[in-house]
Amino acid sequence: MTKSILSGIKRISLLPLFLFATIAVWAQDKKVDVDINTKSDSGNFFTQPWVWVVGAAVFIIILVALLKGKK
């Protein structure tokens, strides 16, 4: 008798979980059109070569400072 009661309680306790999962799946059903192509002449900032050169220089300076401080 107690096994059947516990089994019923487990089923009832899992019901909200399954309902929430179903609602979450239905919420994602809408199709969203995303256009990542921009109509810019200059492009994004990270496509510029000087950004990569400055970033590499800063990285090297930080790396040297960290390695020098361990002595």
Side-chain angles (χ1 to χ4, degrees), residues 18-55:
F18 291 138
L19 287 175
F20 178 73
T22 304
I23 291 171
V25 169
W26 280 344
Q28 297 176 6
D29 196 27
K30 183 179 179 183
K31 180 177 165 92
V32 178
D33 186 26
V34 178
D35 184 20
I36 60 170
N37 296 324
T38 58
K39 308 292 188 241
S40 176
D41 293 336
S42 63
N44 294 327
F45 74 94
F46 51 82
T47 60
Q48 302 295 329
W50 67 269
V51 174
W52 290 100
V53 171
V54 170

Side-chain angles (χ1 to χ4, degrees), residues 6-22:
L6 288 176
S7 177
I9 291 173
K10 286 180 184 178
R11 286 184 183 175
I12 291 173
S13 65
L14 287 176
L15 182 65
L17 176 68
F18 291 138
L19 287 175
F20 178 73
T22 304

